Amino acid sequence: MCGIIGIVGSGEVTAHLVEGLRRLEYRGYDSAGVCTINNGALDRRRAEGKLDNLVNVLAAEPLIGHIGIAHTRWATHGAPTTNNAHPHATAEVSLVHNGIIENFKPLRDELIARGRTFESQTDSEVVAHLISERIEAGDMPEIATAAILKRLHGAFALAILFRQYPDLLIGARLGSPLVVGYGDDATYLGSDALALASFTQRVAYLEEGDWVVVTRDGARIFDAQDRPVEREVTISGVTGAYIDKGNYRHFMLKEIFEQPVVVAQTLQSYIKPLDGQVALPIPDFALSSIQRITIIACGTSYYAGMVAKYWLEQFARVAVEIDVASEYRYREPVMEEGGLALFISQSGETADTLAAMRHAKAGGQKVAVVVNVPTSSMAREADLLLPTHAGTEIGVASTKAFTCQLAVLAALAANLARAKGRLSAEQERDIVTHLAEAPAALNMALQQDEPIQAISAIIAGARDVLYLGRGPDYPLALEGALKLKEISYIHAEGYAAGEMKHGPIALIDDLVPVIVLAPSGPLFEKTVSNMQEVQARGGKIVLISDATGVAAAGEDCLATITMPDVHPLIAPIVYAIPVQLLAYHIAAIKGTDVDQPRNLAKSVTVE
Ligand code: G6P
C-alpha cells in the first residue's frame, strides 16, 4: 500500500528519500515519485512500476535539495501511470497522500469551475490545488493547511511542501498512520517507523486528526481543533539493519522456514509448559464473564479467526460470531453490553479492520487485538493486546504471522475455557503439551519441502484448483486457495469438504487438481468419503495427511504429502506449511513476483 517519507535536513535528501522508499517497497506499490525544493522551485521525478525505474530517472536527471517528500503509490483513483504517481503539485504546493479523499469529486468540480486544471485522475491532486489556492491568496502554510484539512472527508496521511518555504514540511493524518521522526540534524515524516529506520528510532505517532509543522530542528503538533499538543516521543525499536533474504530466493520462503522459531517465540509468552498452564501476557481481564465473542479481520488473518471460532466454541463453549471487517462495520451488528470484539491483524493498520475496531469500541465492546506490529494503531488502541512475535513480515502474502496468530488464539481459547471452569488441570496440561509440540512439528512439516516442490511442478499448469478440508482444517483450505490465487494467479477455491457436493463438484474433471487436507482424527473418514466422490468423477487428488491417513486413503491419489502425526488441536498450525509451500513453489515455477504480487498490498490502508 502507499508509503510516505518526508525529510527536512541540512544535506542532500534525495538519496535518503529513495532509501526510505526502499524500506516501504514490501508494502506493495505500482509507481513512485520524489519532489524537492531547489532554487526556489518545486522539482519532481516520478515513474511507473518498480522503484528501480524511479532510480533510473533520478540517475538521468538528478534531484537536488535539502527538503523533500517521496511516495510509493498503490493505485486507487486512476491507473498506475506516471501522471497519476505522487507527488502531485501546483506551482506553489507539492504533496504525497495515502488514503482516499471520499469527497474529491465535488471538490474537483468546484476547482475546475474556478479554472484549475488537473494532470491526474487522482483524488489526491485536489488537495494540492485547494491548499495552493489559499497560498496563492496569501495565506501562510499553517493557515492554508488547517483550513483545507477541515474540508476533506475520508482517510488521509499527507506530507506537503511549499515552494516559498524551503525549510518547512507539513504533515497531517486522519485514518492513515503518520509518524514524526526526530534525527540529529534532520526531522522526518514517515508512513511507518520502518520507513525511518535508517535515520532515527526516535518517533512520535500522530493521533487521529493531528497535523504537524516539521522543520529541521523539530516539530510542532496540533490536534484536530488546531490546538498545540504534545505527542510522546518513543523509541521505535526498528533498527536500520536491512532485513535480508539470507540464502532464500524470496522473503516468503524465508518466512515460511522461520515458523518453527517464531511460533516458539510467540508461545513463550502464552504457555508455561513446565507448569502445564496457559498464561496470557495481560493483566487480569474478566474472561469468565464473556458470553459471546465477535471475531473480525481481513484476508489471511480472517482465516486464523475462523480456526479460532472452532477452538473457542469447542473448549470454552462461548458463542463466536465471525465477520470480515468490511462487512461487520456496515451491517449494523448487534453489540451486547460488555461483549468482546476480537480483532486479528498482522500489520495492525488494515483500514477496514481498524475502522471496525473503532466502531466496536464506540458500540461499548471490549476490544482485544491479536497483532504483529506492536507500534501499530490497533496495538495502541486495544483494551487487550495479544501480540504475536513473528518479527517483521516482508512477503505480501502472510505466512509466519498466520501460524503465530493461530498459536495465540489456541492459547486464548484454552485460557478462556479455564476461566469459565470448563477445563480441568489435566485437560489444560494436555493442551499446553500439544501446543508446545507445535514448533518441532512445524520443523518436520518443513522437511517435506522437496516432495512438495515436485508436486508443485504438476499443479503449476492447472487453470483451477480446489482445496477441501473439514472442521478447523476447512479455513486452512480457504487459506490454501487464497495463497495460491495471491501469488501464482491460478484460480482456486477452498470448500468445506462436505459442501463440495452442493456445487463445486460440477467443476471436477481430470484437469482440476483437488487438494485435500485431512489429518487423522474424528473427521478423517468423512473427508475420505468426499475424496471418493471426487475420484469417482475422474478428479485428481493431492492428499495432505499423516502417515496413517496416507496409508488409509492415499492409494489412488495423484500425489500425497505426509505430515507428522499431530494432535488435531495443532493440525491447522502444522498443515499451514504444505499449503504455503505449494503456493510458493507453484508461483516460483510460474515466475511470478512472489514477494510483491501484482495488485496486492501488504498493509491495506484504504477501505
Ligand atoms: C492484505 C495482505 C494479506 C493480509 C490482509 C490482512 O490483503 O496482502 O496478506 O492477510 O491484508 O492484513 P492484516 O495486516 O490486517 O493481517
Side-chain angles (χ1 to χ4, degrees):
M1 189 90 335
C2 304
I4 287 179
I5 171 142
I7 306 178
V8 192
S10 48
E12 288 298 327
V13 291
T14 304
H16 294 309
L17 289 167
V18 172
E19 153 86 11
L21 291 184
R22 282 257 177 251
R23 290 183 176 275
L24 290 168
E25 267 195 297
Y26 78 98
R27 294 159 70 110
Y29 67 100
D30 34 43
S31 60
V34 188
C35 183
T36 59
I37 303 178
N38 181 26
N39 262 336
L42 295 165
D43 203 1
R44 273 190 298 171
R45 305 286 182 271
R46 298 176 295 166
E48 265 178 63
K50 293 288 174 198
L51 200 48
D52 285 342
N53 299 348
L54 178 67
V55 170
N56 290 340
V57 171
L58 284 166
E61 292 177 79
L63 205 54
I64 295 169
H66 293 183
I67 181 168
I69 52 179
H71 191 258
T72 45
R73 171 173 187 253
W74 185 80
T76 58
H77 293 59
T81 58
T82 304
N83 268 2
N84 286 332
H86 299 218
H88 290 290
T90 67
E92 293 298 329
V93 169
S94 175
L95 60 77
V96 290
H97 165 223
N98 288 358
I100 292 179
I101 306 297
E102 287 171 357
N103 59 334
F104 90 100
K105 186 76 178 64
L107 293 173
R108 190 178 160 109
D109 291 346
E110 173 192 317
L111 284 158
I112 289 171
R114 288 201 292 270
R116 314 279 311 189
T117 52
F118 289 83
E119 63 158 29
S120 79
Q121 286 103 43
T122 64
D123 52 335
S124 315
E125 196 183 354
V126 297
V127 186
H129 280 279
L130 286 168
I131 296 176
S132 196
E133 277 189 333
R134 310 244 356 182
I135 296 288
E136 289 158 33
D139 273 356
M140 300 285 287
E142 290 94 324
I143 305 288
T145 308
I148 296 306
L149 289 178
K150 295 177 185 57
R151 300 203 57 199
L152 307 179
H153 303 162
F156 52 80
L158 293 162
I160 314 162
L161 285 181
F162 302 84
R163 183 189 67 81
Q164 300 173 54
Y165 302 85
D167 302 316
L168 172 151
L169 180 61
I170 293 190
R173 85 155 272 186
L174 188 75
S176 303
L178 196 65
V179 177
V180 182
Y182 298 87
D184 291 337
D185 56 1
T187 315
Y188 305 86
L189 285 176
S191 43
D192 65 26
L194 202 60
L196 308 183
S198 323
F199 317 120
T200 181
Q201 289 192 34
R202 293 178 56 231
V203 296
Y205 293 88
L206 294 187
E207 291 185 7
E208 284 298 78
D210 280 358
W211 58 281
V212 59
V213 180
V214 179
T215 58
R216 202 184 80 181
D217 306 321
R220 284 180 294 127
I221 304 176
F222 302 86
D223 67 10
Q225 283 73 46
D226 305 330
R227 294 174 300 221
V229 282
E230 295 290 327
R231 300 294 177 220
E232 192 191 351
V233 178
T234 55
I235 302 301
S236 70
V238 190
T239 69
Y242 257 102
I243 301 163
D244 68 26
K245 291 193 273 238
N247 291 328
Y248 293 93
R249 197 171 145 204
H250 294 101
F251 278 109
M252 182 179 174
L253 190 61
K254 177 176 176 246
E255 287 161 3
I256 291 173
F257 273 84
E258 279 172 5
Q259 290 177 105
V261 172
V262 294
V263 166
Q265 227 162 258
T266 300
L267 280 170
Q268 250 175 31
S269 314
Y270 291 85
I271 58 172
K272 294 189 202 150
L274 293 179
D275 304 336
Q277 284 180 344
V278 282
L280 300 191
I282 42 169
D284 261 358
F285 187 74
L287 287 175
S288 58
S289 63
I290 293 167
Q291 299 302 329
R292 188 172 134 172
I293 298 178
T294 309
I295 299 179
I296 299 126
C298 298
T300 292
S301 298
Y302 172 72
Y303 295 141
M306 276 183 81
V307 176
K309 174 177 161 71
Y310 287 89
W311 288 336
L312 288 161
E313 291 186 338
Q314 181 189 346
F315 297 123
R317 307 299 302 143
V318 172
V320 177
E321 219 189 326
I322 175 155
D323 219 335
V324 287
S326 51
E327 286 301 313
Y328 173 79
R329 190 180 164 202
Y330 294 110
R331 74 172 162 83
E332 298 185 25
V334 179
M335 299 190 207
E336 281 167 15
E337 180 73 29
L340 181 72
L342 173 60
F343 293 82
I344 307 169
S345 176
Q346 188 285 128
S347 61
E349 299 294 353
T350 302
D352 284 322
T353 313
L354 186 57
M357 180 171 156
R358 290 176 179 155
H359 185 61
K361 226 178 185 181
Q365 304 297 284
K366 277 269 177 228
V367 165
V369 59
V370 176
V371 70
N372 196 42
V373 179
T375 50
S376 61
S377 304
M378 284 182 220
R380 283 180 286 122
E381 292 180 29
D383 299 317
L384 175 60
L385 176 61
L386 297 165
T388 49
H389 301 293
T392 307
E393 192 178 63
I394 301 285
V396 162
S398 185
T399 53
K400 60 176 181 169
F402 175 69
T403 41
C404 288
Q405 288 165 349
L406 290 179
V408 169
L409 291 162
L412 175 67
N415 203 305
L416 189 56
R418 185 182 65 196
K420 288 196 157 282
R422 297 210 164 95
L423 205 63
S424 67
E426 200 184 324
Q427 287 166 321
E428 183 175 355
R429 182 174 292 278
D430 206 35
I431 289 180
V432 169
T433 305
H434 294 311
L435 282 176
E437 286 162 0
L442 285 165
N443 251 324
M444 286 166 75
L446 285 166
Q447 287 164 19
Q448 295 304 307
D449 185 39
E450 274 185 28
I452 291 175
Q453 200 169 347
I455 296 165
S456 301
I458 310 172
I459 302 176
R463 234 187 54 189
D464 305 284
V465 176
L466 210 56
Y467 285 76
L468 300 179
R470 264 180 192 265
D473 301 301
Y474 160 46
L476 255 285
L478 294 168
E479 170 61 4
L482 177 67
K483 279 279 133 333
L484 194 68
K485 278 184 276 208
E486 282 180 316
I487 61 168
S488 77
Y489 316 145
I490 293 176
H491 169 246
E493 288 197 41
Y495 248 85
E499 184 66 8
M500 181 200 57
K501 54 189 173 292
H502 299 294
I505 199 161
L507 298 174
I508 303 292
D509 63 21
D510 58 358
L511 297 177
V512 180
V514 181
I515 296 165
V516 179
L517 297 148
S520 291
L523 300 172
F524 181 74
E525 294 300 336
K526 302 262 177 226
T527 310
V528 170
S529 302
N530 304 128
M531 272 174 62
Q532 277 156 2
E533 291 157 11
V534 172
Q535 282 167 329
R537 287 157 183 85
K540 297 275 179 280
I541 287 183
V542 175
L543 173 64
I544 308 179
S545 186
D546 42 50
T548 318
V550 168
E555 208 177 352
D556 294 321
C557 293
L558 173 68
T560 57
I561 299 171
T562 309
M563 289 288 98
D565 279 323
V566 290
H567 189 272
L569 170 71
I570 63 163
I573 303 178
V574 177
Y575 280 55
I577 298 277
V579 300
Q580 294 167 352
L581 284 174
L582 271 174
Y584 170 77
H585 287 301
I586 293 169
I589 291 165
K590 293 192 77 179
T592 59
D593 191 347
V594 171
D595 286 331
Q596 289 166 31
R598 69 182 182 204
N599 304 338
L600 296 184
K602 180 75 191 149
S603 164
V604 181
T605 48
V606 293
E607 257 196 75

